[in-house]
Amino acid sequence: MHEIQFAVIGPNFIKSENILITMKIILVTGIPQVDRGVLIEIVMKRLNMPQKDLVFVDFDDISDIMKSVTKGKDLTIKQISEMIDRMNDEFEKAVIKAMKKCDGVLVINCSLTLNTEVGLFPVLSKEFFESFSPELIILVEGFPPELTNKESEMKALERHQDINRTYAFSYSAFSHSVIDRLRAKKGRADDAARSITVLIRSVVTG
């Protein structure tokens, strides 16, 4: 249990507010080619917990800025950086809104890095991990040969996953998070969901 302070910024005001974090936070992340949102929806049904005890925020699905960054053409590095800064603000507000509804475990689905036409960019900031201190980071990976038949794309996907691992382990040092990594085979969503269910249940009962 710990307390964080954040600022709500409006046209004519800055309101500072403290929030006491009493719930446990789990971050589920990975490459966008693996549909983590679908996996977590399966997990939520399996756990079948009261709504306030288990809350799910699918930031990858709700963020229009994230979609603009990944699909954008002719964006400069500065433009992408500014969009990601706005996305971090959007993300923090979504998490804090969900926290106010949660008494147990908050599960967040969000990419660690985004692949753009000028390279990979980190999404979540060091400050997020320091402030929110996820109990567990679940890194969901795919098998590149199942996701594409082009060798160049396979190498790019493997590189993306390698970088995600590096970021996950680096960030965990700031939040003292436990990290678990699993591979989701194409067409075997139930198997991956079963593994995620076990991990989340261990946090719920821990």
Side-chain angles (χ1 to χ4, degrees), residues 5 37 43 55 69 79 88 104 111-112 114-115 120 143-144 150 152 176 182-183 190 200 203-204 206:
Q5 185 179 61
V43 170
V55 175
V69 171
Q79 286 173 323
N88 266 295
S111 298
L112 273 181
L114 289 182
N115 194 15
L120 289 166
F143 292 89
K150 295 181 179 179
S152 60
H176 307 290
L182 61 93
R183 290 243 178 180
D190 277 347
I200 292 179
V203 171
V204 171

Side-chain angles (χ1 to χ4, degrees), residues 7-49:
V8 180
I9 302 174
N12 302 306
F13 69 90
I14 298 179
K15 176 187 174 185
S16 180
E17 185 173 346
N18 291 330
I19 286 206
L20 185 66
I21 299 182
T22 57
M23 79 289 297
K24 296 175 179 178
I25 297 176
I26 297 171
L27 174 67
V28 183
T29 188
I31 57 174
Q33 287 80 1
V34 177
D35 198 337
R36 303 182 306 277
V38 169
L39 295 177
I40 300 171
E41 291 289 357
I42 296 172
V43 170
M44 298 286 282
K45 289 177 182 176
R46 285 186 172 178
L47 289 170
N48 193 29
M49 292 171 60

Side-chain angles (χ1 to χ4, degrees), residues 3 7 26 41 50 53 58 68-69 81 89 100 106 112 124 126 128 134 138 143 163 165 173 181 186 193 202:
E3 191 173 62
I26 297 171
E41 291 289 357
D53 290 342
D58 191 348
S68 298
V69 171
S81 296
D89 292 339
K100 292 180 177 179
L106 174 61
L112 273 181
L124 297 179
K126 181 182 78 169
F128 163 77
I138 303 175
F143 292 89
I163 289 173
R165 285 179 217 135
R181 181 170 68 96
K186 192 174 182 180
S202 70

Side-chain angles (χ1 to χ4, degrees), residues 167-182:
Y167 269 109
F169 281 99
S170 298
Y171 286 147
S172 70
F174 300 117
S175 56
H176 307 290
S177 307
V178 174
I179 296 180
D180 213 307
R181 181 170 68 96
L182 61 93

